[in-house]
Amino acid sequence: ESATAFSCLMSDMWLGEFDCVSPEAFHSVFGKRYPTFSRRTQHDAQEFLICVLDELHEAFKEVRAQLCRHRTGAEARGSGSGTSIITQLFEGQLSYGITCLKCNTITDRPESFTVLSLPIPSRRVCSLQECLDCFFQPDTLTRNNQIHCYWCGTNQDATVKATITRAPQIIIFHLKRFAWQDKHRRKLSTTVGYPLHNLDLSPYSSAFFYNNAEYSLRAVVNHSGDIDYGHYTAFCKHSTTKHWYSFDDVQVTKIPDSAVQTDTAYLLFY
Protein backbone atom coordinates (compact mmCIF):
# COMPACT_ATOMS: atom_id res chain seq x y z
CA GLU A 1 0.00 0.00 0.00
CA SER A 2 2.80 2.43 0.88
CA ALA A 3 4.62 1.52 -2.33
CA THR A 4 1.48 2.22 -4.39
CA ALA A 5 0.99 5.60 -2.70
CA PHE A 6 4.67 6.41 -3.28
CA SER A 7 4.32 5.44 -6.94
CA CYS A 8 1.33 7.81 -7.32
CA LEU A 9 3.32 10.59 -5.67
CA MET A 10 6.23 10.09 -8.06
CA SER A 11 3.87 10.07 -11.04
CA ASP A 12 2.25 13.33 -9.93
CA MET A 13 5.68 14.94 -9.48
CA TRP A 14 7.08 13.90 -12.86
CA LEU A 15 3.98 14.40 -15.02
CA GLY A 16 4.40 18.15 -14.62
CA GLU A 17 0.70 18.93 -14.46
CA PHE A 18 0.97 20.84 -11.17
CA ASP A 19 3.20 23.64 -9.92
CA CYS A 20 3.59 21.76 -6.65
CA VAL A 21 2.44 18.41 -5.29
CA SER A 22 1.32 17.61 -1.75
CA PRO A 23 2.43 14.21 -0.36
CA GLU A 24 -0.74 14.10 1.77
CA ALA A 25 -1.96 10.71 0.47
CA PHE A 26 1.45 9.07 0.89
CA HIS A 27 1.83 10.58 4.36
CA SER A 28 -1.57 9.22 5.40
CA VAL A 29 -0.85 5.69 4.18
CA PHE A 30 2.71 5.70 5.52
CA GLY A 31 1.51 7.02 8.90
CA LYS A 32 -0.77 3.99 9.32
CA ARG A 33 2.22 1.71 8.81
CA TYR A 34 4.52 3.82 11.02
CA PRO A 35 2.32 5.65 13.58
CA THR A 36 5.30 7.65 14.85
CA PHE A 37 5.28 9.66 11.62
CA SER A 38 1.52 10.22 11.57
CA ARG A 39 1.70 13.10 14.03
CA ARG A 40 2.23 16.55 12.56
CA THR A 41 5.29 17.30 14.62
CA GLN A 42 8.94 17.49 13.61
CA HIS A 43 10.59 14.13 12.92
CA ASP A 44 14.09 13.16 11.92
CA ALA A 45 14.58 13.07 8.13
CA GLN A 46 17.21 10.33 8.37
CA GLU A 47 14.91 8.05 10.38
CA PHE A 48 12.07 8.73 7.95
CA LEU A 49 14.31 7.98 4.97
CA ILE A 50 15.39 4.62 6.40
CA CYS A 51 11.77 3.64 7.06
CA VAL A 52 10.75 4.62 3.51
CA LEU A 53 13.61 2.62 1.97
CA ASP A 54 12.78 -0.39 4.17
CA GLU A 55 9.10 -0.20 3.24
CA LEU A 56 9.83 0.04 -0.49
CA HIS A 57 12.36 -2.78 -0.25
CA GLU A 58 9.82 -5.08 1.39
CA ALA A 59 7.18 -4.21 -1.22
CA PHE A 60 9.46 -4.75 -4.20
CA LYS A 61 10.97 -7.85 -2.64
CA GLU A 62 7.49 -9.36 -2.33
CA VAL A 63 6.75 -8.63 -6.00
CA ARG A 64 10.03 -10.27 -6.97
CA ALA A 65 9.24 -13.29 -4.80
CA GLN A 66 5.84 -13.67 -6.46
CA LEU A 67 7.46 -13.61 -9.90
CA CYS A 68 9.91 -16.27 -8.72
CA ARG A 69 7.06 -18.65 -7.82
CA HIS A 70 6.03 -18.77 -11.46
CA ARG A 71 9.47 -19.74 -12.67
CA THR A 72 11.15 -23.11 -12.87
CA GLY A 73 13.67 -24.15 -10.21
CA ALA A 74 16.91 -22.88 -11.77
CA GLU A 75 15.39 -19.51 -12.70
CA ALA A 76 13.91 -19.01 -9.24
CA ARG A 77 17.13 -19.88 -7.44
CA GLY A 78 19.03 -17.26 -9.42
CA SER A 79 16.57 -14.49 -8.57
CA GLY A 80 17.26 -14.10 -4.85
CA SER A 81 14.09 -12.88 -3.13
CA GLY A 82 16.20 -11.05 -0.53
CA THR A 83 17.13 -8.35 -3.02
CA SER A 84 15.17 -5.52 -4.60
CA ILE A 85 15.76 -2.39 -6.65
CA ILE A 86 16.33 -0.62 -3.31
CA THR A 87 19.19 -2.91 -2.25
CA GLN A 88 20.64 -2.80 -5.77
CA LEU A 89 20.81 0.99 -5.68
CA PHE A 90 21.38 1.91 -2.04
CA GLU A 91 22.87 -1.04 -0.17
CA GLY A 92 26.61 -1.22 0.46
CA GLN A 93 28.71 -3.39 2.72
CA LEU A 94 31.26 -2.67 5.41
CA SER A 95 33.72 -5.11 6.86
CA TYR A 96 34.81 -4.58 10.45
CA GLY A 97 38.32 -5.96 10.91
CA ILE A 98 38.71 -6.92 14.59
CA THR A 99 42.28 -7.53 15.80
CA CYS A 100 42.91 -9.24 19.14
CA LEU A 101 45.69 -7.27 20.86
CA LYS A 102 47.01 -10.40 22.60
CA CYS A 103 47.37 -12.91 19.74
CA ASN A 104 47.01 -10.46 16.81
CA THR A 105 44.39 -12.68 15.15
CA ILE A 106 42.16 -10.73 12.76
CA THR A 107 38.50 -11.60 12.23
CA ASP A 108 36.18 -9.86 9.76
CA ARG A 109 32.56 -9.03 10.47
CA PRO A 110 30.52 -7.93 7.44
CA GLU A 111 27.62 -5.51 7.84
CA SER A 112 25.25 -4.07 5.24
CA PHE A 113 24.28 -0.38 5.22
CA THR A 114 22.01 2.00 3.34
CA VAL A 115 23.00 5.19 5.18
CA LEU A 116 26.40 6.02 6.69
CA SER A 117 26.03 8.19 9.81
CA LEU A 118 29.17 10.30 10.05
CA PRO A 119 30.42 12.02 13.21
CA ILE A 120 31.32 15.69 12.94
CA PRO A 121 34.80 16.10 14.47
CA SER A 122 34.75 19.89 14.81
CA ARG A 123 32.40 22.43 16.32
CA ARG A 124 33.08 25.18 13.77
CA VAL A 125 34.36 24.07 10.36
CA CYS A 126 35.38 20.73 8.85
CA SER A 127 35.18 18.80 5.59
CA LEU A 128 33.27 15.70 4.56
CA GLN A 129 36.67 14.04 4.17
CA GLU A 130 37.41 14.71 7.86
CA CYS A 131 34.03 13.23 8.81
CA LEU A 132 34.89 10.11 6.79
CA ASP A 133 38.35 9.95 8.36
CA CYS A 134 36.74 10.08 11.79
CA PHE A 135 34.22 7.33 10.94
CA PHE A 136 36.84 4.99 9.48
CA GLN A 137 39.63 5.53 12.01
CA PRO A 138 40.55 2.46 14.11
CA ASP A 139 38.91 2.20 17.52
CA THR A 140 40.23 0.37 20.59
CA LEU A 141 37.88 -1.86 22.58
CA THR A 142 38.79 -2.25 26.26
CA ARG A 143 37.18 -2.99 29.62
CA ASN A 144 33.44 -3.59 29.16
CA ASN A 145 33.83 -3.45 25.37
CA GLN A 146 36.36 -6.26 25.08
CA ILE A 147 35.77 -8.94 22.46
CA HIS A 148 35.78 -12.67 23.12
CA CYS A 149 38.76 -14.04 21.20
CA TYR A 150 38.14 -17.54 19.86
CA TRP A 151 41.87 -18.34 19.78
CA CYS A 152 42.68 -17.00 23.25
CA GLY A 153 39.47 -18.42 24.71
CA THR A 154 38.95 -15.30 26.86
CA ASN A 155 37.87 -11.68 26.57
CA GLN A 156 40.66 -9.49 25.23
CA ASP A 157 41.35 -5.90 24.27
CA ALA A 158 41.03 -5.39 20.53
CA THR A 159 41.11 -2.82 17.74
CA VAL A 160 38.35 -2.53 15.18
CA LYS A 161 38.52 -0.80 11.81
CA ALA A 162 35.76 -0.46 9.22
CA THR A 163 36.40 -0.81 5.49
CA ILE A 164 34.01 -0.49 2.55
CA THR A 165 33.95 -3.81 0.74
CA ARG A 166 31.01 -2.99 -1.51
CA ALA A 167 30.13 0.59 -2.40
CA PRO A 168 26.51 1.22 -3.47
CA GLN A 169 25.54 2.98 -6.68
CA ILE A 170 23.96 5.72 -4.55
CA ILE A 171 25.67 6.41 -1.24
CA ILE A 172 23.86 8.44 1.42
CA PHE A 173 25.73 10.27 4.18
CA HIS A 174 23.97 11.37 7.35
CA LEU A 175 25.80 14.16 9.19
CA LYS A 176 25.28 13.56 12.91
CA ARG A 177 24.30 17.09 13.85
CA PHE A 178 22.24 16.05 16.86
CA ALA A 179 24.65 14.98 19.59
CA TRP A 180 24.98 14.84 23.36
CA GLN A 181 26.95 17.71 24.87
CA ASP A 182 27.22 18.23 28.63
CA LYS A 183 24.32 15.83 29.31
CA HIS A 184 22.10 17.73 26.86
CA ARG A 185 21.22 16.78 23.29
CA ARG A 186 22.03 19.66 21.01
CA LYS A 187 22.34 20.46 17.35
CA LEU A 188 25.79 21.05 15.90
CA SER A 189 25.82 24.01 13.51
CA THR A 190 29.26 23.08 12.16
CA THR A 191 29.92 24.07 8.56
CA VAL A 192 30.81 20.85 6.74
CA GLY A 193 32.40 21.35 3.33
CA TYR A 194 31.45 18.69 0.78
CA PRO A 195 32.52 18.29 -2.87
CA LEU A 196 30.05 18.51 -5.73
CA HIS A 197 32.18 16.19 -7.87
CA ASN A 198 34.92 13.57 -7.64
CA LEU A 199 34.30 12.22 -4.16
CA ASP A 200 36.92 9.48 -3.87
CA LEU A 201 36.16 6.63 -1.46
CA SER A 202 39.31 4.62 -2.23
CA PRO A 203 41.04 5.55 1.08
CA TYR A 204 38.20 3.81 2.93
CA SER A 205 37.70 0.86 0.60
CA SER A 206 39.23 -2.56 0.29
CA ALA A 207 41.67 -2.60 -2.64
CA PHE A 208 40.34 -6.01 -3.62
CA PHE A 209 36.77 -4.76 -4.03
CA TYR A 210 37.31 -1.14 -5.09
CA ASN A 211 36.30 -0.34 -8.68
CA ASN A 212 37.78 3.19 -8.98
CA ALA A 213 34.34 4.79 -8.72
CA GLU A 214 34.11 8.49 -7.98
CA TYR A 215 30.86 9.99 -6.79
CA SER A 216 29.08 13.22 -7.68
CA LEU A 217 26.59 15.01 -5.45
CA ARG A 218 22.98 14.70 -6.62
CA ALA A 219 20.86 15.89 -3.66
CA VAL A 220 21.08 17.54 -0.24
CA VAL A 221 18.55 17.60 2.58
CA ASN A 222 18.94 20.70 4.75
CA HIS A 223 17.69 21.26 8.29
CA SER A 224 17.43 24.78 9.68
CA GLY A 225 16.37 25.38 13.26
CA ASP A 226 17.07 23.60 16.51
CA ILE A 227 16.53 20.18 18.01
CA ASP A 228 12.85 20.67 18.89
CA TYR A 229 11.75 22.72 15.90
CA GLY A 230 12.94 23.54 12.43
CA HIS A 231 12.38 23.38 8.72
CA TYR A 232 13.53 20.93 6.06
CA THR A 233 14.43 21.94 2.51
CA ALA A 234 16.18 20.09 -0.30
CA PHE A 235 18.55 20.76 -3.19
CA CYS A 236 18.32 18.39 -6.17
CA LYS A 237 20.28 18.24 -9.42
CA HIS A 238 18.27 17.67 -12.59
CA SER A 239 19.58 14.56 -14.33
CA THR A 240 19.16 16.03 -17.83
CA THR A 241 19.81 19.76 -17.58
CA LYS A 242 22.40 19.36 -14.76
CA HIS A 243 20.91 22.44 -13.09
CA TRP A 244 20.40 22.59 -9.33
CA TYR A 245 16.98 23.39 -7.84
CA SER A 246 15.92 24.34 -4.33
CA PHE A 247 12.74 22.76 -2.94
CA ASP A 248 11.22 24.75 -0.10
CA ASP A 249 7.60 23.68 0.44
CA VAL A 250 5.68 25.13 -2.55
CA GLN A 251 8.68 27.16 -3.76
CA VAL A 252 10.89 25.49 -6.39
CA THR A 253 13.68 27.72 -7.66
CA LYS A 254 16.76 27.26 -9.82
CA ILE A 255 19.99 27.94 -7.92
CA PRO A 256 23.65 28.27 -8.94
CA ASP A 257 26.14 25.52 -8.05
CA SER A 258 27.74 27.83 -5.49
CA ALA A 259 24.50 27.90 -3.46
CA VAL A 260 24.51 24.11 -2.95
CA GLN A 261 27.16 24.39 -0.20
CA THR A 262 25.37 25.32 3.05
CA ASP A 263 25.97 24.97 6.78
CA THR A 264 22.50 23.39 7.20
CA ALA A 265 23.26 20.21 5.20
CA TYR A 266 21.98 17.12 7.01
CA LEU A 267 21.78 14.35 4.37
CA LEU A 268 24.02 14.06 1.30
CA PHE A 269 23.18 11.86 -1.68
CA TYR A 270 26.10 10.90 -3.97
Side-chain angles (χ1 to χ4, degrees), residues 3-4 13 64 69 87 122 130 148 153 160 174 195 233 235 238 265:
T4 302
M13 290 174 63
R64 187 168 182 145
R69 293 194 200 105
T87 56
S122 170
E130 289 175 294
H148 182 81
V160 58
H174 162 231
T233 60
F235 300 148
H238 196 287

Side-chain angles (χ1 to χ4, degrees), residues 54-128:
D54 286 346
E55 186 73 3
L56 294 177
H57 166 66
E58 290 301 321
F60 295 142
K61 185 179 72 172
E62 288 176 10
V63 171
R64 187 168 182 145
Q66 289 171 9
L67 292 174
C68 288
R69 293 194 200 105
H70 298 287
R71 297 175 180 173
T72 58
E75 292 175 311
R77 282 193 298 275
S79 300
S81 60
T83 63
S84 70
I85 185 64
I86 301 300
T87 56
Q88 291 168 16
L89 291 176
F90 296 98
E91 186 177 273
Q93 189 173 68
L94 298 174
S95 178
Y96 288 92
I98 303 171
T99 304
C100 173
L101 293 181
K102 182 176 182 181
C103 68
N104 291 323
T105 299
I106 301 175
T107 56
D108 291 312
R109 191 190 75 197
E111 184 176 294
S112 298
F113 71 89
T114 51
V115 177
L116 281 184
S117 291
L118 304 180
I120 299 176
S122 170
R123 289 193 177 188
R124 301 192 66 180
V125 179
C126 68
S127 66
L128 179 62

Side-chain angles (χ1 to χ4, degrees), residues 162-194:
T163 304
I164 299 174
T165 53
R166 188 178 75 248
Q169 292 187 48
I170 302 171
I171 190 164
I172 306 170
F173 297 117
H174 162 231
L175 302 178
K176 296 173 70 173
R177 292 197 177 277
F178 300 103
W180 290 96
Q181 290 182 339
D182 304 323
K183 298 182 180 181
H184 298 284
R185 197 162 181 257
R186 298 177 179 175
K187 182 184 177 184
L188 302 177
S189 57
T190 307
T191 298
V192 179
Y194 41 88

Side-chain angles (χ1 to χ4, degrees), residues 37 53 67 85 92 151 170 179 195 200 210 213 224 226 246 261 270:
F37 295 108
L53 291 178
L67 292 174
I85 185 64
W151 299 102
I170 302 171
D200 183 12
Y210 189 66
S224 56
D226 214 327
S246 170
Q261 175 70 61
Y270 280 89

